[in-house]
Structures are given as C-alpha cells and as structure tokens.
Amino acid sequence: MNNLLFCSVGRRGRLLQNAKETIGKTGLIVGTDNQSTAPALQFCDRQHVVPRITDPKYFDIILNICKENDIKAITTLIDPEIELLAKNSDRFKELGVIPLCPAPKSAIYCFNKFELYKYLTEKGIRTPLTFHDWDEFIEALEERRISFPIFMKPICGSASIGAHKVHTLEQATIDWNSGEHDYIIQELMTGGDCDADVYVDTISHKAVAAFSKRKIETRIGGASKTISFKDPKLFKFIEEICSVFEFNGPLDMDFFIKDGEYYLSEINPRFGGAYLHAYGAGVDFFQLIVNNINGIVNEVNLGNYDDDVLMLMYDDVVIVPKDKLVNDKFSLL
C-alpha cells in the first residue's frame, strides 16, 4: 500500500483531497494535527491528534504512527517541522519510510534566510542583497550598494508575518530596534516576482518536475490568484539551484526578476500553499511520490503543462458532528 503521512495538516483540505484522487485505492492518506478541529483531518482516511511539535514525546508519537499505519512516505505542511523531520530522517528510513524533506544542512539553509543568502552567494546563485548586521547595512547604504525603499522580514519567518517595505532610515531604525522580530534587510526587488512548485526525485535527487506561476493576488501570506507561464531560462535556474542542495520531494520556490534575470528569494521544502494550481494543471507530485515509493526513478520533465492557466482560490467549509471528531486529548474542545 502507498500510505502517505501528512503532518500538521491544518487547513490544507484540498491538498489532501488531491492526494486521495491520485492514490485512490492503492494507499491511505493519514493525517496529524494538534487539534481535532483541523479541517483537513476530515479528508484523511486515518486521523491522529498529536501534541505540538515542541513536545518531547512528539517525535516518538510520529514514529509509532508510521509503524501502526505502514507509512511509506512522510511530509509536513508547516515550516517549523521541516528541520525536525530532516534531523530524524535516518530513523524514518530504518522503518522503510521515505522522508520527503531536505538533508539536515539544507533544511537549516531554507529556514534561516540569512544562512540561505550566505550559502547561495557562496555557490554563485543569484539572490537579493541581504544584511543581518546593522552596521554592515549602514556601510552599504553609504556606499550606495543599497538604497531606500528596502525590504525587512524575520530571519526565520513564515507566511509573510512581519515582512514589510520600509521607505526611510528613521523607520528602519525603529523596526530594527523594536525587538518584535529578528530582522534581515534586503534590497527591494521591483522587477516582478513569480513562484515555482518543484519536485526533486528521492532516488536520483534531480529536479524532475516544475510548475511556474505569476501571482495575480495574494492573501494571508500566500497567492490566491495565479496564472501559469513557462520559461526555459527559469527551469535551467531551478536545476542549477537544486544541484547545490540535498532535497527530496516537493519544494515551493519564490523568485524575483531583475534586469531580465531570475533571483532566488526563498525555498520552502514542502508543498506550497498554491501547489493546488500545479495539480489542477496536470503536474501531479503525488504520482511522483508513489513512483519513488515503488523504486521507480522519475524522468526529468520540467514544464509539462499549458501556459495561461488560472487558479482562483475561494473559501469552503467542513461540516461535521462533534462525535465524528477523532479523540482529542491535546486541545480544549
């Protein structure tokens, strides 16, 4: 059976429905969350309510879930859990479970945005100029290597929380010293941006599928309206990026455009919030996962979809009787 475990499923119900469409009767979709009221749990074949990822018992509970449900591959849908899975990837492999996460060092680079900047610069990968030292930023400002407006965001942030444009040195000084976040400062990229959903084969470790899209509208840190496009130049850049990391499975990459070149902004090594667009356009990562589970190496096939396909998100609800919720000893309901 091609049983997949999705950790911290939250609100990602449509994603799990898509997974089930592909898996069908050949496997089970198993989900975890720390609340029985997580909407996406209702779309899982098997549901498990677990403690928060910071609980000392958390990882042993996840391992037991893998054993009890004959799990073949595991992923998480939240950023803070990625590094946890990466650090324990060998323990999953011992159980015959494929960890759909980066190697530990690559996971650190993806979560810490300044470490990512330093690593990309070292490897010659284009990325926005970034500072995590105030004096170095002021020096660059005086030397005109950077100018206002600038962009500030938390060094280990998620969902665009705390990310904002800053127009003056006075405001930058206030924000930097506020203590609200541990900020990095970046040059403001104004030439446009785009995203790409990428799948890295867990056997060959090559980027084998990529779906690129431009944002039309963004809400709550994620794109709610997007349109597909294809550019061989971007696909080549994606392959170049993946060659300097140790990735496994789905990735969400963010890019800026400057002077006709793509610059890597961030990598989220998980299913992106707008992967639904890729799936709807026929780029099926779940089938690629199933292939890898069964020892099949996926062929490189970047850009196998149509241009100008739109994704338009809208709200939906789950209605369920309370007695149908999985037993929940970790939340207050």
Side-chain angles (χ1 to χ4, degrees):
M1 295 288 282
N2 303 309
N3 297 346
L4 306 185
L5 175 58
F6 292 83
C7 297
S8 306
V9 295
R11 295 166 52 88
R12 305 287 294 276
R14 182 59 183 270
L15 178 72
L16 300 188
Q17 290 179 71
N18 290 160
K20 189 61 182 174
E21 288 171 7
T22 295
I23 300 299
K25 297 180 180 179
T26 70
L28 299 174
I29 303 302
V30 183
T32 74
D33 202 89
N34 62 18
Q35 296 281 334
S36 64
T37 51
L41 281 179
Q42 309 311 313
F43 300 104
C44 298
D45 296 307
R46 296 180 184 173
Q47 310 166 356
H48 294 269
V49 178
V50 297
R52 293 185 178 277
I53 65 173
T54 52
D55 190 298
K57 301 175 184 176
Y58 179 79
F59 194 75
D60 287 335
I61 291 172
I62 295 299
L63 283 175
N64 285 332
I65 290 172
C66 289
K67 295 175 186 176
E68 293 169 2
N69 294 277
D70 191 24
I71 297 300
K72 299 303 183 185
I74 182 173
T75 188
T76 179
L77 301 182
I78 60 170
D79 293 327
E81 193 171 5
I82 294 168
E83 193 173 341
L84 178 64
L85 295 185
K87 287 179 178 178
N88 292 280
S89 59
D90 287 342
R91 296 180 70 185
F92 289 116
K93 293 175 185 177
E94 289 172 2
L95 297 177
V97 179
I98 298 174
L100 298 171
C101 64
K105 194 67 175 179
S106 293
I108 292 172
Y109 290 142
C110 292
F111 193 57
N112 185 306
K113 295 175 176 59
F114 191 63
E115 290 299 320
L116 177 64
Y117 166 75
K118 291 191 295 182
Y119 183 70
L120 293 174
T121 302
E122 174 191 328
K123 295 298 182 180
I125 303 293
R126 292 184 301 276
T127 191
L129 182 62
T130 303
F131 300 92
H132 189 228
D133 181 282
W134 182 259
D135 292 337
E136 290 180 3
F137 163 64
I138 294 300
E139 181 181 339
L141 199 63
E142 292 172 347
E143 294 174 353
R144 298 185 179 181
R145 289 186 287 121
I146 191 171
S147 60
F148 285 95
I150 58 170
F151 198 72
M152 296 179 67
K153 60 185 179 183
I155 192 170
C156 292
S158 183
S160 298
I161 296 171
H164 61 289
K165 187 190 299 187
V166 179
H167 292 272
T168 66
L169 180 59
E170 179 184 10
Q171 187 60 53
T173 305
I174 292 171
D175 293 349
W176 184 267
N177 294 317
S178 68
E180 186 175 355
H181 297 286
D182 181 7
Y183 280 112
I184 57 171
I185 296 172
Q186 292 186 321
E187 63 176 314
L188 185 68
M189 307 292 280
T190 58
D193 64 346
C194 64
D195 295 348
D197 299 291
V198 178
Y199 187 84
V200 175
D201 191 89
T202 65
I203 301 173
S204 71
H205 303 292
K206 294 181 179 180
V208 295
F211 177 86
S212 52
K213 55 194 183 296
R214 292 188 177 90
K215 299 175 185 176
I216 299 174
E217 181 179 276
T218 301
R219 294 185 179 180
I220 318 176
S224 57
K225 296 179 182 179
T226 53
I227 186 167
S228 64
F229 76 99
K230 293 193 282 191
D231 185 349
K233 190 174 183 179
L234 177 58
F235 298 145
K236 183 177 179 180
F237 190 39
I238 288 170
E239 290 182 304
E240 181 183 352
I241 293 164
C242 290
S243 72
V244 301
F245 289 94
E246 294 181 70
F247 289 135
N248 292 289
L251 311 172
D252 174 28
M253 293 185 176
D254 295 336
F255 298 93
F256 290 112
I257 302 167
K258 178 181 177 180
D259 299 328
E261 297 288 351
Y262 291 100
Y263 284 66
L264 179 64
S265 171
E266 295 183 13
I267 306 174
N268 300 304
R270 55 167 172 76
F271 281 99
Y275 167 71
L276 306 175
H277 190 175
Y279 184 86
V283 184
D284 188 348
F285 288 2
F286 305 115
Q287 185 59 55
L288 302 181
I289 293 171
V290 169
N291 290 345
N292 283 161
I293 287 172
N294 290 282
I296 299 170
V297 179
N298 292 294
E299 296 181 0
V300 176
N301 192 11
L302 307 185
N304 185 20
Y305 57 90
D306 292 332
D307 282 315
D308 296 331
V309 175
L310 285 161
M311 179 193 73
L312 310 172
M313 283 191 179
Y314 69 98
D315 295 330
D316 204 347
V317 299
V318 175
I319 305 296
V320 59
K322 182 179 176 182
D323 62 6
K324 296 298 183 183
L325 297 181
V326 64
N327 180 40
D328 185 352
K329 60 184 178 181
F330 300 105
S331 65
L332 300 177
L333 181 67

